[in-house]
């Protein structure tokens, strides 16, 4: 993957002049006025993702939460650059919330694939038997980074695929913006 940095990263791990020391893996730039820096939408459309959070502008409602839009880029050295897309950038880029949502729907599962992990895999937890097979009692749903992974429940087909695999309906219990518990309904 080619990374076109818009903000020069220093040798120490953060934006040049930020003072961040080595080991900083994630840089979040919340108040940067990207459009004034000449950031072009065409450079970032393949890196637009969404997060499932409490609120944001712009956002798309999802149940009692919101999908907010971010640019997410990983460098070959493992560093991540992510920044929110605000309404000012949208206006200067000449794009709508619907356009952001379309790109994010494609990019988010591609850049941050879902992970489904059973409780026993994480903690040596209990399993149940059904039809002679052992089965997890609880599953954690997140993305491969574990950051803002609750958005995986919006990925097309992920919940149906898990329910079909388990041959059960699912109870979903959001734990945080980072993960959701899925509990199979063994009576269903």
């Amino acid at each position: 993957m080619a990374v076109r940095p818009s903000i020069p990263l220093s040798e120490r791990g953060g934006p040049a002049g930020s003072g961040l020391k080595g080991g900083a893996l994630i840089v979040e730039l919340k108040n940067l006025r990207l459009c004034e820096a000449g950031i072009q939408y065409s450079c970032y459309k393949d890196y637009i993702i969404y997060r499932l959070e409490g609120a944001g502008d712009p956002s798309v409602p999802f149940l009692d939460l919101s999908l907010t839009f971010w640019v997410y880029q990983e460098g070959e050295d493992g560093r991540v650059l992510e920044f929110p897309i605000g309404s000012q950038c949208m206006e200067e880029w000449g794009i709508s919330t619907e356009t952001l949502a379309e790109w994010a729907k494609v990019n988010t599962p591609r850049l941050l694939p879902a992970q489904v992990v059973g409780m026993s895999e994480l903690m040596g937890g209990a399993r149940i038997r059904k039809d002679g097979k052992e089965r997890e009692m609880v599953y954690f749903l997140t993305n491969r980074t574990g950051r803002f992974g609750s958005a995986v429940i919006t990925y097309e087909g992920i919940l149906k695929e898990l329910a079909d695999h388990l041959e059960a309906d699912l109870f979903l219990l959001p734990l945080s913006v980072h993960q959701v518990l899925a509990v199979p309904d063994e009576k269903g």
Side-chain angles (χ1 to χ4, degrees), residues 2-175:
V3 176
R4 295 176 289 262
S6 59
I7 298 156
L9 295 178
S10 73
E11 301 262 328
R12 294 187 313 232
S18 71
L20 289 177
K21 304 275 188 231
L25 295 176
I26 301 200
V27 179
E28 287 193 28
L29 305 167
K30 294 191 177 189
N31 297 316
L32 184 65
R33 295 181 64 124
L34 297 167
C35 295
E36 288 179 6
I39 306 300
Q40 298 296 316
Y41 165 69
S42 61
C43 295
Y44 287 102
K45 68 180 182 180
D46 292 334
Y47 302 101
I48 293 171
I49 64 162
Y50 54 70
R51 291 180 174 178
L52 190 56
E53 301 182 274
D57 180 37
S59 65
V60 173
F62 182 84
L63 301 175
D64 62 342
L65 298 169
S66 297
L67 294 171
T68 61
F69 302 101
W70 293 69
V71 168
Y72 178 89
Q73 269 188 313
E74 284 185 44
E76 292 174 11
D77 60 359
R79 286 188 252 182
V80 173
L81 175 67
E82 50 188 356
F83 53 84
I85 299 171
S87 51
Q88 181 181 2
C89 263
M90 287 178 47
E91 187 178 312
E92 291 186 31
W93 285 348
I95 59 173
S96 65
T97 302
E98 292 76 22
T99 301
L100 283 176
E102 287 173 24
W103 280 106
K105 184 178 179 179
V106 171
N107 295 335
T108 308
R110 178 178 57 82
L111 295 172
L112 299 168
Q115 276 194 326
V116 178
V117 180
M119 174 83 78
S120 66
E121 189 176 330
L122 287 179
M123 310 170 99
R127 301 180 101 177
I128 57 173
R129 287 197 160 282
K130 182 177 180 183
D131 301 328
K133 296 187 247 177
E134 279 195 3
R135 186 181 313 226
E136 299 285 345
M137 292 175 64
V138 176
Y139 294 85
F140 288 94
L141 281 69
T142 189
N143 60 34
R144 71 173 170 76
T145 70
R147 292 188 74 247
F148 294 94
S150 63
V152 302
I153 65 171
T154 67
Y155 293 5
E156 195 169 314
I158 187 77
L159 296 177
K160 181 172 179 3
E161 185 178 320
L162 180 58
D164 288 350
H165 175 75
L166 297 174
E167 299 174 349
D169 290 335
L170 300 172
F171 294 106
L172 298 178
L173 306 166
L175 295 178

